[in-house]
Amino acid sequence: MSRRSRWWWAAALAVSSAGLAYSLTLARHGFAWFSFGYCPVRDLYDSATDVWWPARAYFPLAWYSGLPGIVVAFAAHWAATRAGRPRAGRVLARVAAAPLLVLFGLAPLAFALDLARDTGCLDTWGGALGVRLMLLPDAVAAVAALCALAAVRMPRHRLRRALRPALLRRPRRSAPALAVLALLALLPVADLAVGEITSRPCEARSVDGRSGGAHAVPSYGAGERRFLCDARESGRFADISDRDLLAYGHAACDAYRPGDDDAYVFAAVCPPIAVDLRKKQAADEAAYRQQEAVNQRACDSATHRPRVRPLRVVRALMGTDYGVIESLETEAALDDDLLTRAEANGLVAALPGHLIVITHSDFDNCLTVELYRRRPPVEVSGWDHVVEVGYRSPTGRIELMDPIQGESDLPKLAFRGRGRYRIRVHYRVPAGEPGSTQDLLIMIFPGADERTIEYLPRRGSSR
């Protein structure tokens, strides 16, 4: 084994060992990211994941950042050279090292090509942190494989001797073939010309007047134009031609597999995705209606028995987006800090014209409101939190609702019109799973006292 080969083998083993040590330091790290943009080489690389990932997983020489492959290549070259078979040693070393170069060199090469085309593709590859955690270990393993291949490279004087007969031939015989190959090599470059980019406004013309969710398949403008409009929303794909963007959409459609939620953006140009999306929406809607019916039955069976006869009782099943039930009578109340005050006792707070009740956002509320002409007895048995506050209604319109939805099925609860009221809120911690119900009882009666009285401090709640 020549001195040059020994140096290259030392470099290959050192680099591979360093790469393994670096990969082991990343064993406890996790990484996830979300990005937008069109990076064609990244898309091709991801589409080949089903091929190269099992190869790396089931190819023992590629384990531990490729160190076993480098060791086997070195051992084969050394043993064959000692046995007087240097050519066989070079072949065996190349057979062991070349797959490592392919498996570990794909990601760095794809990253370099994407970055050369558009520096914005750095985000698609996970940014600087993604490069450090995912690409750097592969790049180190690929460098180790290159060092191993350099160690078994044929010496230069032998290479010249082997190529001398070919170099002595007249080049005119090969000129036509080289010209044809050059033209073929330039054809992909010609395809990189930017095509038309539609600048017409994208108008959403609803047919039935209903608005869908984030994954809704629009009933208007379905097709390629709709896909172009959705894809370029918020400035994404602004520099990508219609032709390339549609090709990207159709390629994603061809690669679609049922259950891939991220592919729903391509529904406008991919009938299979649209069909699966509609099925998912129908299933989600059916599950929602079923859970709503279960919750309604639970509320109907959990009625409160008042100790004194109320003037009126109102019951409703009410869900909230953020666990807040609110009554807002004046616009001036929009800038107050009432939510912070309600969080102090964890249940209820009031200012003139503004009332907030806090519940658990993951559960529907079995809400019962009881109106009394006089102060009712205090009830704490069976409840986990009871708080009473004073409230002044400047307009005589107490309407409890989810502020995000902005509407309520409850009637106006200020039964005496404008004036002062006492509002006593009772809360019971839910015993079921998220999505089920929690009990909330609100008693409203006349009273001039403005104090906040916590009859039963909060307990057992994770709100």
mmCIF file of all heavy atoms in Angstrom, residues 204-223:
data_model
loop_
_atom_site.group_PDB
_atom_site.id
_atom_site.type_symbol
_atom_site.label_atom_id
_atom_site.label_comp_id
_atom_site.label_asym_id
_atom_site.label_seq_id
_atom_site.Cartn_x
_atom_site.Cartn_y
_atom_site.Cartn_z
ATOM 1 N N ALA A 204 -63.433 34.927 -5.026
ATOM 2 C CA ALA A 204 -64.126 33.774 -4.437
ATOM 3 C C ALA A 204 -65.625 33.976 -4.589
ATOM 4 O O ALA A 204 -66.229 34.770 -3.873
ATOM 5 C CB ALA A 204 -63.753 33.625 -2.967
ATOM 6 N N ARG A 205 -66.226 33.312 -5.551
ATOM 7 C CA ARG A 205 -67.665 33.440 -5.789
ATOM 8 C C ARG A 205 -68.375 32.238 -5.169
ATOM 9 O O ARG A 205 -68.384 31.147 -5.721
ATOM 10 C CB ARG A 205 -67.944 33.516 -7.288
ATOM 11 C CG ARG A 205 -67.283 34.696 -7.969
ATOM 12 C CD ARG A 205 -67.714 34.779 -9.424
ATOM 13 N NE ARG A 205 -67.389 33.563 -10.151
ATOM 14 C CZ ARG A 205 -66.209 33.327 -10.708
ATOM 15 N NH1 ARG A 205 -65.247 34.229 -10.601
ATOM 16 N NH2 ARG A 205 -65.986 32.215 -11.355
ATOM 17 N N SER A 206 -68.984 32.447 -4.008
ATOM 18 C CA SER A 206 -69.652 31.364 -3.297
ATOM 19 C C SER A 206 -70.999 31.059 -3.952
ATOM 20 O O SER A 206 -71.733 31.944 -4.340
ATOM 21 C CB SER A 206 -69.859 31.733 -1.828
ATOM 22 O OG SER A 206 -70.534 30.708 -1.163
ATOM 23 N N VAL A 207 -71.278 29.766 -4.075
ATOM 24 C CA VAL A 207 -72.531 29.342 -4.693
ATOM 25 C C VAL A 207 -73.651 29.273 -3.674
ATOM 26 O O VAL A 207 -74.748 29.792 -3.881
ATOM 27 C CB VAL A 207 -72.338 27.971 -5.379
ATOM 28 C CG1 VAL A 207 -73.677 27.441 -5.882
ATOM 29 C CG2 VAL A 207 -71.372 28.103 -6.540
ATOM 30 N N ASP A 208 -73.394 28.643 -2.521
ATOM 31 C CA ASP A 208 -74.455 28.440 -1.536
ATOM 32 C C ASP A 208 -74.358 29.392 -0.353
ATOM 33 O O ASP A 208 -75.139 29.307 0.585
ATOM 34 C CB ASP A 208 -74.441 27.001 -1.019
ATOM 35 C CG ASP A 208 -73.075 26.608 -0.474
ATOM 36 O OD1 ASP A 208 -72.202 27.498 -0.389
ATOM 37 O OD2 ASP A 208 -72.893 25.435 -0.141
ATOM 38 N N GLY A 209 -73.380 30.301 -0.395
ATOM 39 C CA GLY A 209 -73.280 31.293 0.669
ATOM 40 C C GLY A 209 -72.586 30.816 1.918
ATOM 41 O O GLY A 209 -72.354 31.595 2.824
ATOM 42 N N ARG A 210 -72.230 29.554 1.986
ATOM 43 C CA ARG A 210 -71.586 29.030 3.174
ATOM 44 C C ARG A 210 -70.078 29.135 3.036
ATOM 45 O O ARG A 210 -69.532 29.005 1.952
ATOM 46 C CB ARG A 210 -71.995 27.580 3.413
ATOM 47 C CG ARG A 210 -73.461 27.403 3.751
ATOM 48 C CD ARG A 210 -73.786 25.956 3.980
ATOM 49 N NE ARG A 210 -73.534 25.156 2.793
ATOM 50 C CZ ARG A 210 -73.684 23.848 2.745
ATOM 51 N NH1 ARG A 210 -74.050 23.185 3.830
ATOM 52 N NH2 ARG A 210 -73.450 23.184 1.633
ATOM 53 N N SER A 211 -69.406 29.322 4.155
ATOM 54 C CA SER A 211 -67.949 29.383 4.150
ATOM 55 C C SER A 211 -67.413 28.127 4.784
ATOM 56 O O SER A 211 -67.864 27.704 5.834
ATOM 57 C CB SER A 211 -67.464 30.617 4.926
ATOM 58 O OG SER A 211 -67.920 30.567 6.259
ATOM 59 N N GLY A 212 -66.419 27.519 4.137
ATOM 60 C CA GLY A 212 -65.873 26.279 4.651
ATOM 61 C C GLY A 212 -64.716 26.524 5.612
ATOM 62 O O GLY A 212 -64.338 27.647 5.886
ATOM 63 N N GLY A 213 -64.142 25.434 6.100
ATOM 64 C CA GLY A 213 -63.023 25.523 7.010
ATOM 65 C C GLY A 213 -61.720 25.689 6.248
ATOM 66 O O GLY A 213 -61.685 25.960 5.058
ATOM 67 N N ALA A 214 -60.607 25.506 6.983
ATOM 68 C CA ALA A 214 -59.304 25.705 6.369
ATOM 69 C C ALA A 214 -59.046 24.703 5.256
ATOM 70 O O ALA A 214 -58.299 24.965 4.338
ATOM 71 C CB ALA A 214 -58.220 25.593 7.443
ATOM 72 N N HIS A 215 -59.670 23.530 5.344
ATOM 73 C CA HIS A 215 -59.452 22.488 4.349
ATOM 74 C C HIS A 215 -60.642 22.335 3.412
ATOM 75 O O HIS A 215 -60.772 21.323 2.734
ATOM 76 C CB HIS A 215 -59.196 21.137 5.035
ATOM 77 C CG HIS A 215 -57.862 21.065 5.696
ATOM 78 N ND1 HIS A 215 -57.550 20.130 6.652
ATOM 79 C CD2 HIS A 215 -56.756 21.822 5.547
ATOM 80 C CE1 HIS A 215 -56.320 20.295 7.056
ATOM 81 N NE2 HIS A 215 -55.810 21.318 6.405
ATOM 82 N N ALA A 216 -61.516 23.306 3.369
ATOM 83 C CA ALA A 216 -62.727 23.154 2.575
ATOM 84 C C ALA A 216 -62.417 23.120 1.086
ATOM 85 O O ALA A 216 -61.564 23.844 0.599
ATOM 86 C CB ALA A 216 -63.688 24.300 2.865
ATOM 87 N N VAL A 217 -63.074 22.227 0.355
ATOM 88 C CA VAL A 217 -62.977 22.210 -1.103
ATOM 89 C C VAL A 217 -63.993 23.207 -1.631
ATOM 90 O O VAL A 217 -65.184 23.019 -1.458
ATOM 91 C CB VAL A 217 -63.262 20.807 -1.664
ATOM 92 C CG1 VAL A 217 -63.210 20.844 -3.184
ATOM 93 C CG2 VAL A 217 -62.267 19.811 -1.129
ATOM 94 N N PRO A 218 -63.547 24.315 -2.256
ATOM 95 C CA PRO A 218 -64.502 25.332 -2.686
ATOM 96 C C PRO A 218 -65.403 24.821 -3.788
ATOM 97 O O PRO A 218 -64.978 24.062 -4.654
ATOM 98 C CB PRO A 218 -63.603 26.473 -3.177
ATOM 99 C CG PRO A 218 -62.335 25.807 -3.568
ATOM 100 C CD PRO A 218 -62.177 24.641 -2.630
ATOM 101 N N SER A 219 -66.651 25.228 -3.732
ATOM 102 C CA SER A 219 -67.596 24.848 -4.770
ATOM 103 C C SER A 219 -67.564 25.823 -5.931
ATOM 104 O O SER A 219 -68.336 25.693 -6.865
ATOM 105 C CB SER A 219 -69.015 24.806 -4.177
ATOM 106 O OG SER A 219 -69.319 26.047 -3.566
ATOM 107 N N TYR A 220 -66.688 26.808 -5.865
ATOM 108 C CA TYR A 220 -66.570 27.782 -6.937
ATOM 109 C C TYR A 220 -65.131 27.763 -7.457
ATOM 110 O O TYR A 220 -64.197 27.500 -6.714
ATOM 111 C CB TYR A 220 -66.900 29.185 -6.430
ATOM 112 C CG TYR A 220 -66.161 29.547 -5.180
ATOM 113 C CD1 TYR A 220 -64.875 30.063 -5.238
ATOM 114 C CD2 TYR A 220 -66.719 29.343 -3.933
ATOM 115 C CE1 TYR A 220 -64.173 30.368 -4.101
ATOM 116 C CE2 TYR A 220 -66.031 29.642 -2.790
ATOM 117 C CZ TYR A 220 -64.754 30.172 -2.881
ATOM 118 O OH TYR A 220 -64.062 30.472 -1.740
ATOM 119 N N GLY A 221 -64.946 28.019 -8.750
ATOM 120 C CA GLY A 221 -63.620 28.182 -9.332
ATOM 121 C C GLY A 221 -62.721 26.989 -9.176
ATOM 122 O O GLY A 221 -61.500 27.140 -9.168
ATOM 123 N N ALA A 222 -63.266 25.798 -9.005
ATOM 124 C CA ALA A 222 -62.426 24.624 -8.827
ATOM 125 C C ALA A 222 -61.627 24.387 -10.097
ATOM 126 O O ALA A 222 -62.076 24.633 -11.201
ATOM 127 C CB ALA A 222 -63.282 23.410 -8.491
ATOM 128 N N GLY A 223 -60.423 23.899 -9.965
ATOM 129 C CA GLY A 223 -59.596 23.650 -11.124
ATOM 130 C C GLY A 223 -58.257 24.343 -11.002
ATOM 131 O O GLY A 223 -57.818 24.732 -9.922
#
